[in-house]
Amino acid sequence: LGGETQQCRTLMSGNLRHILIAFISLMLLAGCNDCIIINGEDVSVLLELSIKAPDVSGTPSVKGYEDPEADGEKMNALRIIIVRPDGTVEHNRYLDLSSDPSVTILTQRFLVVGNEMKSIYLIANENNDLTKELYDFSSLGTGAAFPAETVSELEISVDAADSDQIPMNLPMTALHQVQMPLKDHYATLDIIRAATKFTYTVENKTNHPLEISGITISKAADKEYFLPRGYGDEDFEVPEDVVYEDFYIACNQALSGSEKVRFDPVYLLEGRYEDPTDVRNYNTSIEINGTLYSDYMSDLGSLPRNTHVVVNIIITKEALDGYDISWIVDVRPYGEVVLEPEFGL
C-alpha cells in the first residue's frame, strides 16, 4: 500500500507540474495578446518608424526656395507596407493626412517578427490621377503574398508633347530594406517625390514692354518607374522605351519695363537624356515678341526625381538680332552633387 501511495503522489506531482506550466504559459499569453509566438518562443519586437520627404528643410536659401509651396507637394496620405522575407505582408497601414498634409510623419509603431530583414514600401498620395489605377494596394491584407515583381515594373506615364504634367497631389514612393534585430528598433525612412520640378522667373530690364508667349523645356520624359531605381545614384534607371519630348508652357504674359514675373511651377518626370553634342543635355527656350531664344541649362547633366530646377531669365537690352538674354539656372542638387537632391520651394 505504501508503494502505491508513493506512486500516486509521484503521478500527481508530475501532472501538477504540467498543469502549472500550462497555466503559466496561458497567463503569459493572456498578458501579451499581440505577441508573435513561433515554435513556442515570443519573437515579437517593436518597430518604430518616422517618414520624411527629404530636403525640404535645412539651411535656408537666400532665394527663399526651401519649403514646399503647396500642400500638393506634401504627404496627403501615406501607406506603409511591411513585407517579411518569405514575401508575405506583415502590415499594411493607411494614413489619411488630408486634414493636415505634412512632410514628416512621426512615430508609427508596428509589432513585427524580429531577427529578419524587412522590405518596407512607402506610398504617398496614391490617389493621384496618374497612379490610382496602377495597383490596388488596399487589397493586400496581412499574410497576403506581396507582388514585388509586379510593383517593381509599374510605370507612371504622361504625354509631355501635349504639355501634360504630374497633377497634385504629387505621388511619392520608396522601398527600404530594414534589418530587424531581436529587440525593439527605430528607423527614419525617406520617401521620394516621383517628380521633378521647374520654376521660371522672367525679368524685363529693358525700358519698354515685352510679350512672353511661351517657354519650352526640352527632353521631358514620357514615363518613369513608380518606385525609384537607384535614387541618389548617378546611374539611376529609367524605362528602356522612354521617349523624350519638348514640354511647352503657354505664358501669354505682358511684361512692362523693369517688371519681374514668376510663373507657376511645372512637375515633370525624371529623365536621363544624353545629348551627344553637349554634356549639359537639357536646354530651354523662351519666345519674346515672336522671336525664340534658347540656351542649355548649366549643370543639368541628368534629371533625377525630387530635383528642383529654378530658371531665372533676365532680358537686359535690345541687340541687333533681338535681345540680350542672361540665363541663371539654379539646380538642386548643384552640379554633380546628386546624393541629396532638393525639391521644396
Side-chain angles (χ1 to χ4, degrees), residues 40-279:
E41 181 182 359
D42 180 7
V43 294
S44 54
V45 294
L46 188 67
L47 171 60
E48 183 174 313
L49 296 178
S50 292
I51 314 298
K52 65 183 182 69
D55 304 305
V56 292
S57 62
T59 304
S61 165
V62 294
K63 300 177 182 63
Y65 297 121
E66 291 293 56
D67 296 327
E69 74 167 327
D71 284 345
E73 295 181 7
K74 303 176 184 179
M75 289 180 277
N76 288 255
L78 175 65
R79 185 178 298 279
I80 304 171
I81 302 176
I82 301 176
V83 180
R84 297 192 61 199
D86 64 0
T88 58
V89 174
E90 192 168 18
H91 289 277
N92 183 352
R93 181 177 298 175
Y94 180 82
L95 304 173
D96 184 351
L97 310 171
S98 57
S99 62
D100 187 21
S102 179
V103 295
T104 303
I105 305 300
L106 298 176
T107 316
Q108 290 296 306
R109 295 186 176 93
F110 302 85
L111 196 68
V112 299
V113 176
N115 197 32
E116 64 180 25
M117 183 74 75
K118 308 292 186 183
S119 297
I120 302 180
Y121 291 81
L122 305 177
I123 304 166
N125 305 334
E126 63 186 52
N127 288 324
N128 179 283
D129 286 343
L130 295 182
T131 59
K132 63 184 180 182
E133 302 296 336
L134 290 181
Y135 194 89
D136 181 12
F137 291 99
S138 66
S139 67
L140 298 171
T142 300
F146 186 84
E149 185 174 349
T150 297
V151 173
S152 71
E153 295 297 328
L154 294 177
E155 295 178 355
I156 302 173
S157 300
V158 298
D159 187 355
D162 198 31
S163 295
D164 285 348
Q165 58 173 306
I166 304 175
M168 299 293 191
N169 300 310
L170 295 181
M172 309 180 194
T173 60
L175 168 58
H176 295 275
Q177 303 295 325
V178 175
Q179 178 63 49
M180 280 298 300
L182 197 54
K183 61 180 181 179
D184 295 350
H185 184 65
Y186 173 82
T188 298
L189 304 179
D190 288 344
I191 188 167
I192 311 302
R193 296 175 186 84
T196 63
K197 177 178 178 180
F198 283 82
T199 303
Y200 279 80
T201 66
V202 180
E203 184 174 5
N204 178 10
K205 286 193 172 182
T206 70
N207 295 321
H208 53 272
L210 301 173
E211 180 70 27
I212 309 300
S213 301
I215 293 172
T216 301
I217 303 170
S218 73
K219 318 303 187 300
D222 72 333
K223 61 177 65 70
E224 70 178 7
Y225 288 117
F226 177 67
L227 291 174
R229 292 195 181 187
Y231 174 75
D233 189 334
E234 292 183 19
D235 295 324
F236 66 93
E237 293 183 34
V238 297
E240 291 184 1
D241 58 344
V242 62
V243 176
Y244 294 97
E245 304 280 2
D246 287 345
F247 182 89
Y248 182 74
I249 307 169
C251 300
N252 300 317
Q253 176 73 46
L255 278 183
S256 60
S258 302
E259 184 181 0
K260 182 177 181 179
V261 65
R262 176 184 177 276
F263 294 102
D264 291 338
V266 296
Y267 304 92
L268 306 179
L269 303 180
E270 69 179 347
R272 286 185 54 84
Y273 182 84
E274 296 182 359
D275 189 334
T277 65
D278 196 303
V279 294

Side-chain angles (χ1 to χ4, degrees), residues 21-33:
I21 291 174
F23 178 75
I24 292 171
S25 297
L26 286 173
M27 290 298 293
L28 287 174
L29 288 174
C32 184
N33 293 329

